[in-house]
């Protein structure tokens, strides 16, 4: 069990560019989540996958954001035409079906849009 | 609606107990969680409590749940400098299909000698 891995850890980009983040969950976890955390705030839910199916998307996920989990293992979160307001920490978490559905978080990918 | 509130800051002396409070709004929440975040790191689960319990103890951590008032607290006994971090309370409401956690803004705990 190597935990949840996220890459890159930090991305600096210019406004208008596209960025992609990758998340590798714990191997036996079939649920995968993306959250966004801005400075001084708690994580906000973005989207959730069960295996390869994207089951829920937040209103926060505008049409510039797209997430995939093509084979039910790793996931990518792409942001197109980045804006300064997209600057945040993007957190990935995974879990397996259980009563408590405990989420295990990765260290996050910090995005800075100049 | 979904809203979790926490006080933003707590300062305690090393060796004292810390009590971090949280209120949540969705009485349908089945589980409530406490996570810890250290600088530059992701969130680490500390403990969780099922909604039909009043109290849960895990080593130095005690969680109290008052379901009637929708109030959750985390007590850390014998607080150490290594406990300095941001602590997040989270609920898991029916309105989210029990699929997502709703987090508070976090309480920054500062432990001083």
């Amino acid at each position: 069990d190597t935990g949840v891995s996220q890459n890159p850890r930090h991305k600096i980009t210019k406004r208008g560019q596209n960025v992609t983040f990758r998340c590798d969950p714990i191997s036996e976890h079939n649920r995968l989540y993306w959250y966004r955390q801005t400075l001084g705030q708690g994580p906000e839910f973005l989207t959730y996958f069960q295996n390869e199916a994207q089951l829920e998307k937040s209103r926060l996920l505008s049409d510039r954001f797209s997430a995939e989990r093509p084979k039910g293992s790793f996931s990518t979160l792409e942001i197109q035409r980045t804006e300064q307001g997209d600057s945040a920490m993007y957190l990935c978490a995974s879990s397996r079906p259980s009563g408590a559905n405990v989420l295990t978080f990765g260290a996050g990918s910090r995005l800075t849009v100049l | 609606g979904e809203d979790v509130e926490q006080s933003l800051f707590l300062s305690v002396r090393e060796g004292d107990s810390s009590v971090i409070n949280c209120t949540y709004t969705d009485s349908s929440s089945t589980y409530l969680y406490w996570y810890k975040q250290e600088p530059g790191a992701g969130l680490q689960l500390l403990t969780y409590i099922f909604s039909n319990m009043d109290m849960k103890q895990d080593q130095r951590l005690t969680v109290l749940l008052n379901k009637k008032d929708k109030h959750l607290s985390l007590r850390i006994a014998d607080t150490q400098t290594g406990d300095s971090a941001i602590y997040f309370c989270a609920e898991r409401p029916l309105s989210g299909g029990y699929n997502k956690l709703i987090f508070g803004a976090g309480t920054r705990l500062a432990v001083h000698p």
Side-chain angles (χ1 to χ4, degrees):
Chain A
D1 181 355
T2 57
V4 177
S5 176
Q6 292 190 245
N7 288 288
R9 291 293 313 277
H10 196 174
K11 178 73 176 178
I12 301 172
T13 191
K14 292 183 179 178
R15 192 174 50 188
Q17 298 296 303
N18 299 345
V19 296
T20 300
F21 299 114
R22 176 178 168 127
C23 172
D24 288 271
I26 293 172
S27 56
E28 62 267 27
H29 287 184
N30 69 338
R31 294 178 177 178
L32 187 146
Y33 306 78
W34 285 99
Y35 279 78
R36 181 173 70 186
Q37 186 179 21
T38 52
L39 201 61
Q41 298 298 315
E44 296 173 294
F45 172 81
L46 292 179
T47 190
Y48 152 65
F49 290 85
Q50 181 154 306
N51 300 312
E52 65 274 11
Q54 188 174 20
L55 296 184
E56 188 174 348
K57 293 197 299 185
S58 163
R59 294 187 300 274
L60 296 174
L61 216 63
S62 76
D63 56 8
R64 295 186 297 106
F65 287 69
S66 62
E68 294 182 344
R69 194 182 183 199
K71 296 181 181 178
S73 56
F74 73 91
S75 175
T76 57
L77 176 69
E78 181 184 18
I79 309 173
Q80 296 182 326
R81 305 181 303 281
T82 52
E83 301 173 356
Q84 287 186 323
D86 296 332
S87 295
M89 176 78 87
Y90 290 86
L91 294 166
C92 177
S94 67
S95 71
R96 59 173 151 223
S98 69
N101 194 36
V102 171
L103 271 60
T104 301
F105 282 85
S109 292
R110 180 170 295 284
L111 173 63
T112 302
V113 182
L114 303 176
Chain B
E2 302 167 351
D3 198 11
V4 178
E5 293 190 355
Q6 305 178 233
S7 51
L8 294 182
F9 187 73
L10 177 66
S11 177
V12 298
R13 191 184 304 272
E14 191 174 11
D16 287 352
S17 292
S18 307
V19 179
I20 302 171
N21 294 301
C22 167
T23 56
Y24 61 98
T25 54
D26 196 324
S27 58
S28 73
S29 289
T30 53
Y31 287 88
L32 296 129
Y33 307 78
W34 284 103
Y35 279 83
K36 175 183 180 183
Q37 188 176 37
E38 298 186 63
L43 277 70
Q44 172 196 354
L45 177 74
L46 287 177
T47 187
Y48 60 88
I49 187 167
F50 187 47
S51 58
N52 70 350
M53 298 171 64
D54 298 324
M55 184 182 86
K56 180 178 180 182
Q57 187 152 4
D58 184 0
Q59 299 182 342
R60 293 192 296 123
L61 305 179
T62 303
V63 178
L64 295 179
L65 175 61
N66 181 328
K67 199 171 178 182
K68 174 176 168 288
D69 294 338
K70 301 191 193 75
H71 182 266
L72 184 73
S73 68
L74 174 70
R75 178 177 180 269
I76 306 172
D78 186 25
T79 313
Q80 302 298 306
T81 54
D83 295 323
S84 295
I86 302 175
Y87 291 80
F88 292 95
C89 166
E91 63 173 340
R92 184 178 157 202
L94 171 62
S95 58
Y98 297 125
N99 290 325
K100 63 184 180 186
L101 301 189
I102 308 299
F103 288 86
T107 299
R108 181 178 296 274
L109 175 65
V111 182
H112 56 88

